[in-house]
Amino acid sequence: MTTWDPADFRDRVQQVLDAFLDERADELRPLGPDAARLVTEARTALRGGKRFRAAFCHWGYRAVRPEGSDASSWAALARACASLEVLHASALVHDDLMDASDTRRGRPATHRAFEAEHRGAGWRGDPEQYGAAAAILLGDLLLGWSGDLLRTSGFGVEQVASGLAIFEQCRSEVIAGQFLDVSVQARGRADVDTAMTVLRYKSAKYSIERPLHIGARLAGATPVQVEQLRRFGLPLGEAFQLRDDLLGVFGDPDETGKPAGDDLVEGKRTVLVALALDAAPPAAARRLDEALGTPLGPADVDELRGIIEDSGARAQVEDVIGRLTDRAVDSLRAADVDDRARDVLVELAAAATQRTV
């Protein structure tokens, strides 16, 4: 690719994913229609999205090894980038089940789709249990496939080993971060520091920092370059997730594909919520705290949004997003990376932190 066209890049990544799933479908065909159903749902889970993880992996690579390589190199890089989207899909399938989410990107969440299939066919047993079991297994399958795609990307053995070391660390971080999130919700409390730790390991690192590192490692980055990309990627990842937290409360359902105030219904103990609980008047803070994770109607969601807004937490998070993004971009401007890649990464930073979906 000689120019940066985000839509074209997303199409190329989708082509890689489609071809990879075709390969997996051929492997599983002897198992019959049930296995084929898993592949069909995997295609749904891997359709759409912003492809930020793939993009940051790509430009992490180009930051170290500028454009101009041959088609085989592009093909290997595309598969490596796509592996992060498979990892992301795995996390979303499991996350939706753990959060009891009904929708994802405007479609039924994976466990709900399998549940509906069971109920519609009139099978024996509990449809919800079937849906949960199927989602766990599909998420596990995608998790395994993500590593397979990177291992078979087409890069040399040493390059793949270097990228896989970061990839495996990334998988461990996101799984542990997800458990931190589940535990925080179960305890029903989290201060700002705890919420930031969850944010960092559940999302920030695997969304931006680790994809950058994987791309850079595949390109043969020096330890200094990897550290410079970390100084860009980690604060940007935190800003990215803080934006997601705002959208989880204040986002437009027509754009996010999730119900209004979905994070409030799910009882998410985000940085936004922790700040609001600290700053709101006692009665309002108590109302917010007790309402989190309970069934909420539109009027309830509007009331809780008002409490968060009036506490100043929304404005505070917006300010933090701006400061983290500025810190990330300033670090990137001083980094020893390709100038074209630097420009595109700055564009991606804006896209990741100023989005409405």
Side-chain angles (χ1 to χ4, degrees), residues 40-97:
T40 297
E41 191 60 33
R43 293 187 191 279
T44 299
L46 283 164
R47 192 174 303 130
K50 298 170 284 294
R51 306 302 189 203
F52 279 131
R53 291 156 190 84
F56 280 107
C57 181
H58 178 91
W59 288 102
Y61 183 96
R62 294 301 182 198
V64 176
R65 185 174 294 186
E67 296 182 55
S69 55
D70 60 22
S72 62
S73 177
W74 158 248
L77 180 56
R79 283 176 69 89
C81 293
S83 72
L84 285 155
E85 295 299 329
V86 182
L87 174 62
H88 183 47
S90 167
L92 292 182
V93 168
H94 283 161
D95 191 53
D96 285 343
L97 173 61

Side-chain angles (χ1 to χ4, degrees), residues 165-315:
I166 301 297
F167 189 86
E168 290 165 358
Q169 186 176 1
C170 175
R171 287 192 300 194
S172 296
E173 287 169 345
V174 72
I175 292 169
Q178 181 68 61
F179 184 65
L180 292 179
D181 188 34
V182 170
S183 298
V184 162
Q185 288 188 65
R187 286 191 292 268
R189 62 181 185 278
D191 57 24
V192 174
D193 288 343
T194 300
M196 278 299 297
T197 299
V198 172
L199 175 151
R200 187 172 295 120
Y201 285 95
K202 181 187 173 184
S203 178
K205 293 176 78 68
Y206 108 98
S207 294
I208 296 178
E209 181 194 11
R210 295 310 188 193
L212 282 168
H213 283 176
I214 291 166
R217 282 287 195 92
L218 290 170
T222 66
V224 170
Q225 288 174 314
V226 170
E227 172 60 21
Q228 288 173 335
L229 289 172
R230 185 197 68 79
R231 293 175 186 170
F232 167 68
L234 183 56
L236 185 63
E238 292 171 348
F240 169 85
Q241 184 55 42
L242 286 171
R243 174 61 62 200
D244 209 51
D245 290 348
L246 284 174
L247 291 172
V249 173
F250 295 102
D252 182 345
D254 290 337
E255 295 189 20
T256 64
K258 304 283 279 185
D262 198 45
D263 280 5
L264 301 173
V265 177
E266 292 175 2
K268 295 287 188 181
R269 298 282 168 167
T270 62
V271 173
L272 175 68
V273 167
L275 289 170
L277 290 173
D278 280 349
R286 185 166 53 255
R287 165 64 176 144
L288 174 60
D289 187 49
E290 292 174 352
L292 288 171
T294 66
L296 300 172
D300 298 312
V301 169
D302 286 344
E303 179 191 2
L304 299 185
R305 282 173 166 172
I307 290 171
I308 294 171
E309 184 94 50
D310 292 344
S311 75
R314 182 179 185 179

Side-chain angles (χ1 to χ4, degrees), residues 151-167:
R151 274 190 294 273
T152 61
S153 59
F155 283 111
V157 173
E158 290 186 3
Q159 287 173 287
V160 169
S162 183
L164 269 174
I166 301 297
F167 189 86

Side-chain angles (χ1 to χ4, degrees), residues 21-36 39 43:
L21 289 174
D22 288 344
E23 296 168 8
R24 302 288 78 77
D26 287 341
E27 289 180 359
L28 294 176
R29 186 165 288 112
L31 279 71
D34 285 330
V39 177
R43 293 187 191 279

